[in-house]
Amino acid sequence: MVRSEIKSVSDLAGKDIAIEDGQSASGASIRTAISAAGAPDAQLSESHVRAIDRLVGGEVPAAVLALVSPEAAEWFPEIKGFKLFRIALSSRS
């Protein structure tokens, strides 16, 4: 999920992306997917504060919210004032 001023994944180049501590085990795959989608130097940023709270609070321009199947990702609700980018972790996901 990204703030409304982010128009594409490439707009995240050089920026911090919030991620939950529990998702850090998938960090390498997430970084690879974000890089392949257009932001090769975006940085994943862990914190004791929830990723969504950091995004809504303006600390970061984007947050990784969930790692789900492509089918489940299609059902993720839109939230006013934010955009969703659905990025596959691999060609099989």
Side-chain angles (χ1 to χ4, degrees):
M1 180 173 281
V2 300
R3 300 185 63 73
S4 61
E5 65 268 13
I6 303 294
K7 305 299 183 206
S8 69
V9 175
S10 63
D11 290 341
L12 296 172
K15 296 187 171 53
D16 287 339
I17 299 172
I19 186 171
E20 298 289 331
D21 290 337
Q23 296 169 326
S24 61
S26 300
S29 295
I30 294 168
R31 273 190 290 283
T32 298
I34 291 170
S35 178
D41 57 350
Q43 298 295 315
L44 297 180
S45 171
E46 296 178 38
S47 172
H48 65 280
V49 178
R50 292 183 341 156
I52 188 71
D53 292 336
R54 295 174 65 203
L55 174 64
V56 171
E59 181 182 334
V60 293
V64 175
L65 297 185
L67 302 177
V68 298
S69 70
E71 295 79 17
E74 290 303 317
W75 290 96
F76 201 88
E78 298 289 332
I79 299 175
K80 187 176 180 174
F82 296 90
K83 295 179 187 171
L84 293 174
F85 293 145
R86 295 171 179 92
I87 302 171
L89 291 181
S90 74
S91 59
R92 294 178 292 148
S93 62

